[in-house]
Amino acid sequence: MKVDSCRRRAHYGSGVVGVLLRTGMLLASCLFLVDRNVNALGSSSSNRAHFDGVSVSPSLLSPRELVLDYLKETNTDEQVSPLTRTILCVPPSCYCADDTLVYTQVATQSRIQGLEVLQKACDSFERDFQSELGVSSSVSRVSFLSQSEVVFQWNVTWVPPTAAWLEGLGNVWPGVEVIPTPYNHLSTEVSTFSWSAVGRLFSNVLQNQRLQVPLACIEGTTQLQFVNKNDDGWTLRSIREELSYAQDLQRGRLRNRRCAADLRLFLETARRMDHGDADRGTTGDDEKDWDDVVATCLPWQSVPGSNPLDLEPSEEGPEAALVALGLAAIIMVTFANVMAPLLLGQSLFGPPTYIVPPSELNSLF
């Protein structure tokens, strides 16, 4: 530091001339920094417009830019509801100001017209499906078919009600990790019951402290159609939604009754449109009416075991039922001889055990 300061004094001189020179150099440096910052701000104004919409109106951006920027903002936003994310996929400023926006649900042939009505419907979807109870969604792929057409591929996952007890067991089991396991890849196979699979499930818990819990998964696509009238900017005109399970069911490829039950639950609750917000060509607004729409819109009877009273076939055959009855008998006998005396004071089999024998009751009186 001493050598540098000596060099500066030797170079600029001393006295008034040195002070003037140092002041001039300081002002020049300040002007240079200000000019550089102004240029940097000017060069980044177009990038900033994609995120805050201050410098450039978002409607002037292309649909590709709108979609990509919105995905960057909402992928990490936990406040966006999972079901709403699958329908309203672009910023609010892109929607038509009038009631020309149309949402179509292909599986039930239902439609909703108008942005405000659609937003209220999305709120009812979240409420009816109870999205706050562990429902999640994600966008797996985005395809740009043309300048005005974009297709989203998404999935919604949740633990089915029939497996909620298993998830609760894993949460209270000390040292056990719950592993959600989707089964949508088995949609083309007939669902069966296996005692050996139950054994492997709990064997994995005892050996590896890992409990696999079934995870329902609904996959779908949302097609967005944009329009640009008179080069005034792009606006979203139509939303068309299709569900993979519904397409497979109509083609006769959906064979798994569990996957079919997940699809029916999703349509009955997560896409319920009986609140006066849908045009589906039916009369009445009660819940039973919408359940009838779902029951008749797809060929549910083509799925093996879809009737409520049907039982899943066993992979081990009828011998497995005999083994299960034998195990149940062994458990009952063990309880009767080992646990019952501790709980009831006597065994369920054999002569009764008296606290006071009947022969000694007379002496008490």
Side-chain angles (χ1 to χ4, degrees):
M1 294 297 295
K2 292 182 179 179
V3 174
D4 291 340
S5 59
C6 291
R7 287 178 178 174
R8 290 193 187 96
R9 285 197 296 267
H11 181 72
Y12 295 128
S14 59
V16 178
V17 177
V19 173
L20 293 176
L21 289 175
R22 285 194 293 270
T23 304
M25 293 294 294
L26 180 61
L27 291 175
S29 300
C30 293
L31 292 175
F32 172 77
L33 292 175
V34 170
D35 182 70
R36 185 176 63 180
N37 291 335
V38 170
N39 291 335
L41 289 173
S43 62
S44 62
S45 61
S46 59
N47 295 329
R48 189 177 64 252
H50 290 273
F51 295 96
D52 55 22
V54 174
S55 300
V56 180
S57 174
S59 61
L60 297 179
L61 302 176
S62 66
R64 183 186 184 92
E65 294 173 318
L66 288 169
V67 169
L68 293 180
D69 289 346
Y70 189 66
L71 286 178
K72 293 178 182 178
E73 297 177 2
T74 58
N75 273 346
T76 58
D77 189 359
E78 298 180 354
Q79 296 181 353
V80 180
S81 301
L83 299 181
T84 304
R85 192 195 306 269
T86 62
I87 299 177
L88 303 178
C89 308
V90 293
S93 56
C94 304
Y95 297 96
C96 300
D98 51 12
D99 292 336
T100 57
L101 175 65
V102 177
Y103 163 77
T104 304
Q105 217 298 314
V106 178
T108 57
Q109 293 299 316
S110 304
R111 60 191 297 270
I112 298 176
Q113 187 166 352
L115 175 60
E116 184 177 357
V117 179
L118 181 57
Q119 289 175 336
K120 293 180 180 179
C122 289
D123 293 338
S124 67
F125 295 162
E126 306 285 355
R127 183 174 56 256
D128 294 336
F129 200 57
Q130 297 181 348
S131 299
E132 70 277 3
L133 301 180
V135 179
S136 62
S137 66
S138 62
V139 177
S140 57
R141 185 177 180 180
V142 180
S143 302
F144 300 94
L145 304 183
S146 64
Q147 188 178 6
S148 60
E149 190 174 357
V150 183
V151 176
F152 284 82
Q153 294 183 4
W154 49 264
N155 62 76
V156 177
T157 56
W158 74 93
V159 175
T162 54
W165 69 271
L166 192 60
E167 183 185 24
L169 177 63
N171 292 331
V172 300
W173 199 328
V176 173
E177 180 184 3
V178 176
I179 307 297
T181 305
Y183 51 87
N184 54 330
H185 60 285
L186 304 175
S187 61
T188 58
E189 302 177 7
V190 178
S191 59
T192 57
F193 178 80
S194 174
W195 287 101
S196 60
V198 176
R200 290 193 301 268
L201 175 67
F202 288 98
S203 176
N204 189 29
V205 175
L206 298 177
Q207 294 180 2
N208 304 320
Q209 289 74 47
R210 295 164 63 92
L211 178 61
Q212 292 183 330
V213 176
L215 186 69
C217 180
I218 294 293
E219 298 177 323
T221 59
T222 301
Q223 182 178 356
L224 308 180
Q225 187 69 41
F226 293 84
V227 294
N228 186 7
K229 287 187 175 181
N230 303 323
D231 294 331
D232 293 334
W234 294 94
T235 55
L236 181 62
R237 182 55 56 88
S238 67
I239 304 174
R240 179 183 176 89
E241 178 188 273
E242 296 188 7
L243 304 178
S244 299
Y245 279 169
Q247 294 177 336
D248 293 341
L249 184 57
Q250 291 174 340
R251 299 167 184 169
R253 298 184 66 251
L254 185 62
R255 309 292 292 170
N256 193 297
R257 62 176 295 183
R258 299 176 188 175
C259 297
D262 295 339
L263 173 62
R264 190 159 187 168
L265 176 65
F266 186 82
L267 290 176
E268 289 179 349
T269 55
R271 291 298 184 264
R272 177 175 288 276
M273 301 183 188
D274 58 353
H275 303 288
D277 49 22
D279 177 17
R280 43 190 168 81
T282 58
T283 59
D285 295 329
D286 55 353
E287 296 182 0
K288 190 175 181 180
D289 184 35
W290 178 250
D291 293 339
D292 292 340
V293 171
V294 175
T296 57
C297 67
L298 294 171
W300 302 104
Q301 300 300 325
S302 63
V303 180
S306 59
N307 293 324
L309 300 180
D310 290 344
L311 298 178
E312 289 184 340
S314 176
E315 292 184 0
E316 290 83 1
E319 294 81 4
L322 298 178
V323 174
L325 291 177
L327 290 176
I330 293 174
I331 293 173
M332 185 178 64
V333 172
T334 303
F335 172 80
N337 292 315
V338 178
M339 299 299 297
L342 299 176
L343 298 176
L344 305 178
Q346 66 178 33
S347 175
L348 296 181
F349 301 98
T353 302
Y354 298 103
I355 299 177
V356 179
S359 59
E360 298 180 2
L361 290 177
N362 294 330
S363 61
L364 295 176
F365 295 100

